[in-house]
Amino acid sequence: MSNTLRFAVLFAIAIYFVILFFMLKQKKFTLKYTLLWLFSGVAMLLFALFPQLLGLIGRLTGVEVGSNGLFAILFFCMMMILMSITAIVSKMNDQIKRVTQHAALLEYRLRQLEAQREEGED
């Protein structure tokens, strides 16, 4: 990797971390969910600082071309992030369903009480 390319990649990773921490500070992410993005950023930083790691991982896994190994690693990281987000959305969907049902029951009980009160006033 040329020094110019390495500098550009390190600069892009620095911007990535600044945006990530800014969004965390603005409470657009919770710390719990930011850990996945931090992990992927650290992995990118390691590969940018030590490009020979990619060759080592490629030799260990039998990948002949380093870019194919990098693609596979990035694909794996994105799949992990997508599965995590899917699990989070599913959990939130269940919570929303329970809250909606609870609110509907409370509204039903309120209407019953109002009806009883009106009957008592007549």
Side-chain angles (χ1 to χ4, degrees), residues 46-114:
L46 285 174
F47 287 132
L49 291 175
F50 308 107
Q52 62 273 17
L53 280 176
L54 192 55
L56 176 67
I57 293 172
R59 283 191 298 277
L60 291 174
T61 58
V63 176
E64 293 183 21
V65 181
S67 61
N68 288 345
L70 180 61
F71 180 74
I73 290 169
L74 291 176
F75 182 76
F76 175 75
C77 287
M78 293 308 295
M79 290 302 294
M80 294 303 295
I81 290 170
L82 285 172
M83 283 192 293
S84 173
I85 290 171
T86 301
I88 292 164
V89 168
S90 296
K91 183 179 176 183
M92 294 297 227
N93 196 12
D94 289 341
Q95 288 176 347
I96 289 170
K97 184 177 173 182
R98 273 182 288 184
V99 168
T100 304
Q101 290 171 345
H102 186 69
L105 284 172
L106 289 175
E107 184 177 343
Y108 175 74
R109 289 179 186 162
L110 179 64
R111 287 184 183 176
Q112 282 182 331
L113 289 173
E114 287 175 346

Coordinates of all heavy atoms in Angstrom, one line a residue, residues 46-114:
L46 N -6.8 -1.3 12.1 CA -5.7 -2.3 12.1 C -5.3 -2.7 10.7 O -4.1 -2.8 10.5 CB -6.2 -3.6 12.9 CG -6.3 -3.4 14.4 CD1 -6.9 -4.7 15.0 CD2 -4.9 -3.1 15.0
F47 N -6.2 -2.9 9.8 CA -5.9 -3.3 8.4 C -5.1 -2.1 7.7 O -4.3 -2.4 6.9 CB -7.1 -3.7 7.6 CG -7.6 -5.1 8.0 CD1 -8.9 -5.3 8.3 CD2 -6.7 -6.1 8.2 CE1 -9.4 -6.5 8.6 CE2 -7.1 -7.4 8.5 CZ -8.5 -7.6 8.8
A48 N -5.5 -0.9 8.1 CA -4.8 0.3 7.4 C -3.4 0.4 8.0 O -2.5 0.7 7.2 CB -5.6 1.5 7.7
L49 N -3.2 0.2 9.3 CA -1.9 0.4 9.9 C -1.0 -0.8 9.6 O 0.2 -0.6 9.4 CB -2.1 0.6 11.4 CG -2.7 1.9 11.9 CD1 -2.9 1.8 13.4 CD2 -1.8 3.0 11.5
F50 N -1.6 -2.0 9.6 CA -0.8 -3.2 9.3 C -1.4 -4.0 8.2 O -2.1 -5.0 8.4 CB -0.8 -4.1 10.6 CG -0.4 -3.3 11.8 CD1 -1.3 -3.0 12.8 CD2 1.0 -3.0 12.0 CE1 -0.9 -2.3 13.9 CE2 1.3 -2.3 13.2 CZ 0.4 -2.0 14.1
P51 N -1.1 -3.6 6.9 CA -1.7 -4.3 5.8 C -1.2 -5.7 5.6 O -1.9 -6.5 5.0 CB -1.3 -3.4 4.6 CG -0.2 -2.5 5.0 CD -0.3 -2.4 6.5
Q52 N -0.1 -6.0 6.3 CA 0.4 -7.4 6.2 C -0.5 -8.4 6.9 O -0.5 -9.6 6.7 CB 1.8 -7.5 6.7 CG 2.0 -7.2 8.1 CD 2.3 -5.7 8.3 OE1 2.0 -4.9 7.5 NE2 2.8 -5.3 9.5
L53 N -1.4 -7.9 7.8 CA -2.4 -8.7 8.5 C -3.3 -9.3 7.5 O -3.7 -10.5 7.7 CB -3.2 -7.9 9.5 CG -2.5 -7.6 10.9 CD1 -3.4 -6.7 11.7 CD2 -2.2 -8.8 11.6
L54 N -3.7 -8.6 6.5 CA -4.6 -9.1 5.5 C -4.0 -10.3 4.8 O -4.6 -11.3 4.5 CB -5.0 -8.0 4.6 CG -6.1 -8.3 3.6 CD1 -7.4 -8.7 4.4 CD2 -6.4 -7.0 2.8
G55 N -2.7 -10.2 4.5 CA -2.0 -11.3 3.8 C -1.9 -12.5 4.7 O -2.0 -13.6 4.3
L56 N -1.6 -12.2 6.0 CA -1.5 -13.3 7.0 C -2.9 -14.0 7.1 O -2.9 -15.3 7.0 CB -1.1 -12.8 8.3 CG -1.0 -13.8 9.5 CD1 0.1 -14.8 9.2 CD2 -0.8 -13.1 10.8
I57 N -3.9 -13.3 7.2 CA -5.3 -13.9 7.3 C -5.6 -14.6 6.1 O -6.2 -15.7 6.1 CB -6.3 -12.8 7.7 CG1 -6.1 -12.3 9.1 CG2 -7.7 -13.4 7.6 CD1 -6.9 -11.1 9.4
G58 N -5.2 -14.1 4.9 CA -5.5 -14.7 3.6 C -4.7 -16.0 3.5 O -5.3 -17.0 3.1
R59 N -3.5 -16.1 4.0 CA -2.7 -17.3 3.9 C -3.3 -18.4 4.9 O -3.4 -19.6 4.5 CB -1.3 -17.1 4.3 CG -0.5 -16.5 3.1 CD 1.0 -16.5 3.4 NE 1.4 -15.7 4.6 CZ 1.6 -14.4 4.6 NH1 1.4 -13.7 3.5 NH2 1.9 -13.8 5.7
L60 N -3.8 -17.9 6.0 CA -4.4 -18.9 7.0 C -5.7 -19.5 6.5 O -6.0 -20.6 6.8 CB -4.6 -18.2 8.4 CG -3.3 -17.8 9.1 CD1 -3.6 -17.0 10.4 CD2 -2.5 -19.1 9.5
T61 N -6.5 -18.7 5.8 CA -7.8 -19.1 5.3 C -7.7 -19.7 3.9 O -8.8 -20.1 3.4 CB -8.8 -18.0 5.4 OG1 -8.3 -16.9 4.6 CG2 -9.0 -17.5 6.8
G62 N -6.6 -19.5 3.2 CA -6.5 -20.1 1.9 C -7.0 -19.1 0.8 O -7.1 -19.5 -0.3
V63 N -7.1 -17.8 1.1 CA -7.5 -16.8 0.1 C -6.3 -16.4 -0.6 O -5.3 -16.0 0.1 CB -8.2 -15.7 0.8 CG1 -8.6 -14.6 -0.2 CG2 -9.5 -16.1 1.5
E64 N -6.3 -16.4 -1.9 CA -5.1 -16.1 -2.7 C -4.9 -14.6 -2.9 O -3.7 -14.1 -2.9 CB -5.1 -16.9 -4.0 CG -5.0 -18.4 -3.8 CD -4.9 -19.1 -5.1 OE1 -4.5 -18.5 -6.1 OE2 -5.2 -20.3 -5.1
V65 N -6.0 -13.9 -3.1 CA -5.9 -12.5 -3.4 C -6.3 -11.7 -2.1 O -7.4 -11.9 -1.6 CB -6.7 -12.1 -4.6 CG1 -6.6 -10.6 -4.9 CG2 -6.3 -12.9 -5.8
G66 N -5.5 -10.7 -1.7 CA -5.8 -10.0 -0.5 C -7.1 -9.2 -0.5 O -7.8 -9.1 0.5
S67 N -7.4 -8.7 -1.7 CA -8.6 -7.9 -1.8 C -9.9 -8.8 -1.7 O -10.9 -8.4 -1.1 CB -8.7 -7.2 -3.2 OG -8.6 -8.1 -4.2
N68 N -9.8 -10.0 -2.1 CA -10.9 -11.0 -1.9 C -11.1 -11.3 -0.4 O -12.2 -11.4 0.1 CB -10.7 -12.3 -2.6 CG -10.8 -12.1 -4.1 OD1 -11.4 -11.1 -4.6 ND2 -10.3 -13.1 -4.9
G69 N -10.0 -11.4 0.3 CA -10.0 -11.6 1.8 C -10.6 -10.4 2.5 O -11.5 -10.6 3.4
L70 N -10.2 -9.2 2.0 CA -10.8 -8.0 2.6 C -12.3 -7.9 2.4 O -13.1 -7.6 3.3 CB -10.1 -6.8 2.1 CG -10.5 -5.4 2.6 CD1 -10.3 -5.3 4.1 CD2 -9.8 -4.3 1.9
F71 N -12.7 -8.2 1.2 CA -14.1 -8.2 0.8 C -14.9 -9.2 1.7 O -15.9 -8.9 2.2 CB -14.3 -8.6 -0.7 CG -15.7 -8.6 -1.1 CD1 -16.4 -7.4 -1.3 CD2 -16.4 -9.8 -1.3 CE1 -17.7 -7.4 -1.7 CE2 -17.7 -9.8 -1.7 CZ -18.4 -8.6 -1.9
A72 N -14.3 -10.4 1.9 CA -15.0 -11.4 2.7 C -15.1 -10.9 4.2 O -16.1 -11.1 4.8 CB -14.2 -12.7 2.7
I73 N -14.0 -10.3 4.7 CA -14.1 -9.8 6.1 C -15.1 -8.7 6.2 O -15.9 -8.7 7.2 CB -12.7 -9.3 6.5 CG1 -11.7 -10.5 6.6 CG2 -12.7 -8.5 7.8 CD1 -10.3 -10.1 6.8
L74 N -15.1 -7.8 5.3 CA -16.1 -6.7 5.3 C -17.5 -7.3 5.2 O -18.5 -6.8 5.8 CB -15.8 -5.7 4.2 CG -14.6 -4.9 4.4 CD1 -14.3 -4.0 3.2 CD2 -14.6 -4.1 5.7
F75 N -17.7 -8.2 4.3 CA -19.0 -8.9 4.2 C -19.5 -9.5 5.5 O -20.6 -9.4 5.9 CB -19.0 -9.9 3.0 CG -20.3 -10.6 2.8 CD1 -21.3 -9.9 2.1 CD2 -20.6 -11.9 3.2 CE1 -22.5 -10.5 1.8 CE2 -21.8 -12.5 3.0 CZ -22.8 -11.8 2.3
F76 N -18.6 -10.2 6.1 CA -18.9 -10.8 7.4 C -19.2 -9.8 8.5 O -20.2 -9.9 9.2 CB -17.7 -11.7 7.9 CG -17.9 -12.2 9.3 CD1 -18.7 -13.3 9.4 CD2 -17.2 -11.7 10.4 CE1 -18.9 -13.9 10.7 CE2 -17.4 -12.2 11.6 CZ -18.2 -13.3 11.8
C77 N -18.5 -8.7 8.5 CA -18.8 -7.6 9.5 C -20.2 -7.0 9.2 O -20.9 -6.8 10.2 CB -17.7 -6.5 9.5 SG -16.1 -7.0 10.2
M78 N -20.5 -6.8 8.0 CA -21.7 -6.2 7.6 C -22.9 -7.1 7.9 O -23.9 -6.7 8.4 CB -21.8 -5.8 6.1 CG -20.8 -4.6 5.8 SD -21.0 -3.2 6.9 CE -22.6 -2.6 6.5
M79 N -22.7 -8.4 7.7 CA -23.7 -9.4 8.1 C -23.9 -9.4 9.6 O -25.1 -9.5 10.0 CB -23.3 -10.8 7.6 CG -23.4 -10.9 6.1 SD -25.0 -10.5 5.4 CE -26.0 -11.8 6.0
M80 N -22.9 -9.3 10.4 CA -23.0 -9.3 11.8 C -23.8 -8.0 12.3 O -24.7 -8.1 13.1 CB -21.7 -9.3 12.5 CG -20.9 -10.6 12.3 SD -21.8 -12.1 12.8 CE -21.9 -11.8 14.6
I81 N -23.5 -6.9 11.7 CA -24.2 -5.7 12.0 C -25.6 -5.7 11.6 O -26.5 -5.4 12.4 CB -23.5 -4.4 11.4 CG1 -22.1 -4.2 12.0 CG2 -24.3 -3.2 11.4 CD1 -21.2 -3.2 11.4
L82 N -25.9 -6.3 10.4 CA -27.3 -6.4 10.0 C -28.1 -7.4 10.9 O -29.3 -7.1 11.2 CB -27.4 -6.9 8.5 CG -27.0 -5.8 7.5 CD1 -26.9 -6.5 6.1 CD2 -28.0 -4.7 7.5
M83 N -27.5 -8.5 11.3 CA -28.2 -9.4 12.2 C -28.5 -8.8 13.5 O -29.5 -8.9 14.1 CB -27.4 -10.7 12.4 CG -27.5 -11.6 11.2 SD -26.8 -13.3 11.5 CE -25.1 -13.0 11.7
S84 N -27.5 -8.0 14.0 CA -27.7 -7.3 15.3 C -28.8 -6.3 15.2 O -29.7 -6.2 16.0 CB -26.4 -6.6 15.7 OG -26.6 -5.8 16.8
I85 N -28.8 -5.5 14.1 CA -29.9 -4.5 13.9 C -31.3 -5.2 13.7 O -32.3 -4.7 14.3 CB -29.6 -3.6 12.7 CG1 -28.4 -2.7 13.0 CG2 -30.7 -2.8 12.3 CD1 -27.8 -1.9 11.9
T86 N -31.3 -6.3 13.0 CA -32.5 -7.0 12.9 C -33.1 -7.5 14.2 O -34.3 -7.4 14.5 CB -32.4 -8.2 11.9 OG1 -31.9 -7.7 10.7 CG2 -33.6 -9.0 11.7
A87 N -32.2 -8.0 15.1 CA -32.6 -8.4 16.4 C -33.1 -7.3 17.2 O -34.1 -7.4 17.9 CB -31.4 -9.1 17.1
I88 N -32.5 -6.1 17.1 CA -32.9 -4.9 17.9 C -34.3 -4.5 17.4 O -35.2 -4.2 18.2 CB -31.9 -3.8 17.7 CG1 -30.6 -4.2 18.4 CG2 -32.4 -2.5 18.2 CD1 -29.4 -3.3 18.0
V89 N -34.5 -4.4 16.1 CA -35.8 -4.0 15.5 C -36.9 -5.0 15.9 O -38.0 -4.6 16.3 CB -35.7 -3.9 14.0 CG1 -37.0 -3.7 13.3 CG2 -34.8 -2.7 13.6
S90 N -36.6 -6.3 15.9 CA -37.6 -7.3 16.3 C -38.0 -7.1 17.8 O -39.1 -7.1 18.1 CB -37.0 -8.7 16.1 OG -36.8 -8.9 14.8
K91 N -37.0 -6.8 18.6 CA -37.3 -6.6 20.0 C -38.1 -5.4 20.2 O -39.1 -5.3 21.0 CB -35.9 -6.5 20.8 CG -36.1 -6.4 22.3 CD -34.8 -6.3 23.0 CE -34.9 -6.0 24.5 NZ -33.6 -5.9 25.1
M92 N -37.7 -4.3 19.5 CA -38.5 -3.0 19.6 C -39.9 -3.2 19.1 O -40.9 -2.7 19.7 CB -37.8 -1.9 18.8 CG -36.5 -1.5 19.4 SD -36.7 -0.9 21.0 CE -35.7 0.6 20.9
N93 N -40.1 -4.0 18.1 CA -41.4 -4.3 17.5 C -42.3 -5.0 18.5 O -43.5 -4.6 18.7 CB -41.3 -5.1 16.2 CG -42.5 -5.1 15.4 OD1 -43.4 -4.3 15.7 ND2 -42.6 -6.0 14.4
D94 N -41.7 -5.9 19.2 CA -42.5 -6.6 20.3 C -42.8 -5.7 21.4 O -44.0 -5.7 21.9 CB -41.7 -7.8 20.8 CG -41.6 -9.0 19.9 OD1 -42.4 -9.0 18.9 OD2 -40.7 -9.8 20.1
Q95 N -41.9 -4.8 21.8 CA -42.2 -3.8 22.9 C -43.3 -2.9 22.4 O -44.2 -2.5 23.2 CB -40.9 -3.1 23.2 CG -39.9 -3.9 24.0 CD -38.6 -3.1 24.2 OE1 -38.4 -2.1 23.7 NE2 -37.8 -3.7 25.1
I96 N -43.3 -2.4 21.2 CA -44.3 -1.5 20.7 C -45.6 -2.2 20.7 O -46.7 -1.6 21.1 CB -43.9 -1.0 19.3 CG1 -42.7 0.0 19.4 CG2 -45.1 -0.3 18.6 CD1 -42.2 0.4 18.1
K97 N -45.7 -3.4 20.3 CA -46.9 -4.2 20.3 C -47.5 -4.3 21.7 O -48.7 -4.1 21.9 CB -46.6 -5.6 19.7 CG -47.8 -6.5 19.5 CD -47.4 -7.8 18.9 CE -48.5 -8.8 18.8 NZ -48.0 -10.0 18.2
R98 N -46.6 -4.6 22.7 CA -47.1 -4.7 24.1 C -47.6 -3.4 24.6 O -48.6 -3.3 25.3 CB -46.0 -5.3 25.0 CG -46.0 -6.8 25.0 CD -44.9 -7.3 25.9 NE -43.7 -6.9 25.2 CZ -42.5 -7.2 25.5 NH1 -42.3 -7.8 26.6 NH2 -41.5 -6.9 24.8
V99 N -46.9 -2.3 24.3 CA -47.3 -1.0 24.8 C -48.6 -0.6 24.2 O -49.5 -0.1 24.8 CB -46.2 0.1 24.5 CG1 -46.7 1.5 24.7 CG2 -45.0 -0.2 25.4
T100 N -48.8 -0.9 22.9 CA -50.1 -0.6 22.2 C -51.2 -1.4 22.8 O -52.3 -0.8 23.0 CB -49.9 -0.9 20.7 OG1 -48.8 -0.1 20.2 CG2 -51.2 -0.5 19.9
Q101 N -51.0 -2.6 23.1 CA -52.1 -3.4 23.7 C -52.4 -2.9 25.1 O -53.6 -2.9 25.4 CB -51.6 -4.9 23.7 CG -51.6 -5.6 22.4 CD -50.9 -7.0 22.4 OE1 -50.3 -7.3 23.4 NE2 -51.1 -7.7 21.3
H102 N -51.4 -2.6 25.8 CA -51.6 -2.0 27.2 C -52.4 -0.7 27.1 O -53.3 -0.5 27.9 CB -50.3 -1.8 27.9 CG -50.4 -1.4 29.3 ND1 -50.9 -2.3 30.3 CD2 -50.1 -0.3 29.9 CE1 -50.8 -1.6 31.4 NE2 -50.4 -0.4 31.2
A103 N -52.0 0.1 26.2 CA -52.7 1.4 26.0 C -54.2 1.2 25.6 O -55.1 1.9 26.1 CB -52.0 2.3 25.0
A104 N -54.4 0.2 24.8 CA -55.8 -0.1 24.4 C -56.6 -0.6 25.5 O -57.8 -0.2 25.7 CB -55.8 -1.1 23.2
L105 N -56.0 -1.5 26.4 CA -56.7 -1.9 27.6 C -57.0 -0.8 28.5 O -58.1 -0.7 29.1 CB -55.9 -3.0 28.3 CG -55.9 -4.4 27.6 CD1 -54.9 -5.3 28.3 CD2 -57.2 -5.0 27.6
L106 N -56.1 0.1 28.7 CA -56.3 1.2 29.6 C -57.4 2.1 29.1 O -58.3 2.6 29.8 CB -55.0 2.0 29.8 CG -53.9 1.4 30.6 CD1 -52.7 2.2 30.6 CD2 -54.4 1.2 32.1
E107 N -57.4 2.3 27.8 CA -58.5 3.2 27.2 C -59.9 2.5 27.3 O -60.9 3.1 27.6 CB -58.2 3.4 25.7 CG -59.2 4.3 25.0 CD -58.9 4.6 23.6 OE1 -57.7 4.4 23.2 OE2 -59.8 5.1 22.9
Y108 N -59.9 1.2 27.2 CA -61.2 0.4 27.3 C -61.7 0.5 28.8 O -62.9 0.8 29.0 CB -60.9 -1.1 27.0 CG -62.1 -2.0 27.2 CD1 -63.2 -1.9 26.4 CD2 -62.1 -2.8 28.3 CE1 -64.3 -2.7 26.6 CE2 -63.2 -3.7 28.5 CZ -64.3 -3.6 27.7 OH -65.4 -4.4 28.0
R109 N -60.8 0.4 29.7 CA -61.2 0.5 31.1 C -61.6 1.9 31.5 O -62.6 2.1 32.2 CB -60.0 0.1 32.0 CG -59.7 -1.3 32.0 CD -58.5 -1.6 32.9 NE -58.1 -3.0 32.8 CZ -57.0 -3.5 33.1 NH1 -56.0 -2.8 33.7 NH2 -56.7 -4.8 33.0
L110 N -61.0 2.9 30.9 CA -61.4 4.3 31.1 C -62.8 4.5 30.6 O -63.6 5.2 31.2 CB -60.4 5.3 30.4 CG -60.7 6.7 30.5 CD1 -60.7 7.2 32.0 CD2 -59.7 7.5 29.7
R111 N -63.1 4.0 29.4 CA -64.4 4.2 28.8 C -65.5 3.5 29.7 O -66.6 4.0 29.8 CB -64.4 3.7 27.4 CG -63.7 4.6 26.4 CD -63.8 4.1 25.0 NE -63.1 5.0 24.2 CZ -62.9 4.9 22.9 NH1 -63.5 3.8 22.3 NH2 -62.2 5.7 22.2
Q112 N -65.1 2.3 30.2 CA -66.1 1.6 31.1 C -66.3 2.4 32.4 O -67.5 2.6 32.8 CB -65.5 0.2 31.5 CG -65.6 -0.8 30.5 CD -65.1 -2.2 31.0 OE1 -64.2 -2.2 31.8 NE2 -65.7 -3.2 30.5
L113 N -65.3 3.0 32.9 CA -65.5 3.8 34.1 C -66.3 5.1 33.8 O -67.2 5.5 34.6 CB -64.1 4.2 34.7 CG -63.3 3.1 35.4 CD1 -61.9 3.6 35.8 CD2 -64.1 2.6 36.6
E114 N -66.1 5.7 32.7 CA -66.8 6.9 32.3 C -68.3 6.5 32.1 O -69.2 7.2 32.5 CB -66.3 7.5 31.0 CG -65.0 8.2 31.3 CD -64.3 8.7 30.0 OE1 -64.8 8.3 28.8 OE2 -63.4 9.6 30.1

